Structures are given as structure tokens and as C-alpha cells.
């Protein structure tokens, strides 16, 4: 009877992927990109909606608009990643296998977020039927379609930039800004806070890992420029979506 090496368990394999995507020194082009997109990145965080939430009184009506409008983006996140997964070729390009394994490991996690998001919406008085049947306005619809476009037509690096780095990265920051106000609104815990807590209180490594995947999978200077532009436009559309929701509430 011959014996072979036992394949690594799923947990061990996931840890190995995380280890391979540990934060590394940024190459010069990434440092330049981060500096260049800073106005758009901080622009998301400076949306009047977040300022109103922090300063009070709590803008409940604005957040109802946000939760209705952005559900399609949240619900689509594992789908975006599934389409991006279809671009991988199992090793024909640098970083391809690592990108594939990372996407497979995180699609399930993203799928859980939709239900937590619905629980958050229900806590603000929105019914299940209202949220799943809602059709967003033009600003949030534009963001949703742009992310689909990047998943379908962008390179691996562009998709990671627009979807995982830009959206998840700024979400980790704006959720930390508004979390105290929501804790006061809901009390100190409970189901309605799960989505916010996952992004605000815990170590959400997805954006950092996405940036590492971008570094690995970018092929040339032209693609570096495309990655920067994909990130910038994603951030711009994200800000416009929040601003539109707030305007709807206060008009």
C-alpha cells in the first residue's frame, strides 16, 4: 500500500493564502497611486451623510435611503467576485492561482453579508419585501453597473481595484465613523449591528489583501494606469451614491 502526502485542510489552506498576502512594501507606482487617489478616497469619508450622522441628530431617513439604494451592491458582491474568478487561468499569469484561491475563499463570506445587511435594514423599519424589490436611483445604479463592468471587462487587477480595494477599503473607514451613532440608536449590540460591526470593529483584511493581489497581477505600466483610474472612478461613484441618498432624505 502506497501512502501519499495528505492534502492541506481547508483551514490550513486558507491560512496559507492569508500568509502569502501579508502586507508588503509598496512599489513606487502603488505609492504614487495612493497619493493620486487620496482626494477621492477622503471624498467618500467626507460625505455630508457621515458628517450629519456623527454630529447628530441621527439622520434616520437618510440611512433608510442608503440601505434601500445600496442593497443591490451588497447583494451583488459575491457575484462580482464570482465573475472575477472566471478570469483566472490557474497559473498562466503571475499571481493567478493565488487570486483564484483568494476569491473562492471569500465568496462565501461575502454571501453572508447580504443577510446581515437585511437585518440592519429591518432594524431601521424597512421590510424584507421593500429591500429586495427596490430599484435604485441613477447614482447608485451607476455604481452597481460600473462594478459589474469591471468584473466582466476589466483585468483581474482592475476588478480587484474597483471592487475590493476601493469599495471595501473606504467602507471599513466610514463604518468606523458612524458606528458610535448606530450603537446609540440600536443599543450596544444585537443583530442589526452585525453588518456594521463586521466592517468597523473587526480586522477586515480584504482591501489590504486585494491591494497585494493588484501588485502581483498587474502586468505593465499601462495596466498600472488602468488600475488607478478604476479605483478613482469607483470612489467617485461611491461618494455620489451616498450624497444622492442624503439629498433624497432632506429635500
Amino acid at each position: 500500500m502506497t501512502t501519499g502526502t495528505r492534502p492541506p485542510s481547508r483551514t490550513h489552506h486558507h491560512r496559507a493564502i492569508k500568509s502569502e498576502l501579508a502586507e508588503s512594501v509598496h512599489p513606487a507606482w502603488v505609492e504614487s497611486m495612493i497619493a493620486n487617489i487620496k482626494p477621492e478616497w477622503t471624498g467618500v469619508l467626507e460625505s455630508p451623510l457621515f458628517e450629519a450622522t456623527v454630529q447628530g441628530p441621527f439622520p434616520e431617513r437618510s440611512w433608510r435611503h442608503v440601505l434601500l439604494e445600496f442593497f443591490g451592491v451588497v447583494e451583488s458582491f459575491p457575484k462580482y467576485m464570482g465573475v472575477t474568478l472566471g478570469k483566472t487561468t490557474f497559473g498562466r499569469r503571475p499571481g493567478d492561482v493565488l487570486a483564484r484561491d483568494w476569491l473562492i475563499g471569500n465568496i462565501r463570506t461575502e454571501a453572508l453579508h447580504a443577510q446581515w445587511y437585511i437585518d440592519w435594514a429591518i432594524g431601521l423599519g424597512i421590510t424584507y419585501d421593500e429591500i429586495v424589490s427596490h430599484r435604485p436611483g441613477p447614482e447608485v445604479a451607476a455604481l452597481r453597473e460600473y462594478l459589474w463592468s469591471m468584473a466582466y471587462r476589466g483585468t483581474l487587477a482592475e476588478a480587484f481595484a474597483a471592487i475590493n480595494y476601493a469599495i471595501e477599503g473606504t467602507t471599513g473607514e466610514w463604518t468606523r465613523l458612524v458606528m458610535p451613532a448606530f450603537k446609540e440608536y440600536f443599543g450596544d449590540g444585537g443583530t442589526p449591528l452585525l453588518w456594521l460591526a463586521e466592517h468597523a470593529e473587526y480586522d477586515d483584511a480584504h482591501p489590504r489583501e486585494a491591494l497585494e493581489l493588484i501588485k502581483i497581477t498587474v502586468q505593465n505600466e499601462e495596466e498600472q494606469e488602468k488600475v488607478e483610474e478604476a479605483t478613482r472612478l469607483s470612489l467617485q461613484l461611491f461618494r455620489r451614491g451616498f450624497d444622492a441618498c442624503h439629498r433624497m432624505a432632506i429635500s
Side-chain angles (χ1 to χ4, degrees), residues 76-145:
S76 294
F77 236 80
K79 299 176 185 177
Y80 299 144
M81 296 172 75
V83 173
T84 304
L85 174 63
K87 297 178 183 296
T88 61
T89 61
F90 209 90
R92 296 182 194 170
R93 295 188 297 266
D96 213 43
V97 173
L98 187 58
R100 173 187 180 275
D101 288 351
W102 184 83
L103 285 162
I104 290 171
N106 285 308
I107 285 171
R108 176 60 182 167
T109 299
E110 292 298 335
L112 294 173
H113 289 181
Q115 183 56 57
W116 294 346
Y117 189 94
I118 289 173
D119 292 338
W120 181 19
I122 290 172
L124 281 171
I126 302 169
T127 68
Y128 178 88
D129 288 340
E130 284 175 325
I131 195 166
V132 299
S133 62
H134 181 75
R135 297 187 66 178
E139 293 85 2
V140 177
L143 172 64
R144 186 179 180 185
E145 290 306 310

Side-chain angles (χ1 to χ4, degrees), residues 14 28 57 62 66 79 95 107 117 123 129 139 146 151 158 161 172 207 221 228 242:
H14 184 66
S62 293
V66 167
K79 299 176 185 177
I107 285 171
Y117 189 94
D129 288 340
E139 293 85 2
Y146 177 68
E158 286 177 283
E221 187 173 337
E228 181 174 323
F242 285 122

Side-chain angles (χ1 to χ4, degrees), residues 153-175:
R153 290 185 283 274
T155 63
L156 269 175
E158 286 177 283
F160 286 137
I163 298 165
N164 304 101
Y165 178 60
I167 301 300
E168 290 193 280
T170 50
T171 294
E173 296 192 30
W174 69 253
T175 51

Side-chain angles (χ1 to χ4, degrees), residues 2 14 20 26 34 60 74 81 84 111 114 122 137 147 168 188:
T2 60
H14 184 66
E20 288 189 64
H26 295 328
I34 291 171
E60 182 177 307
V74 171
M81 296 172 75
T84 304
I122 290 172
L147 298 179
E168 290 193 280
D188 200 34

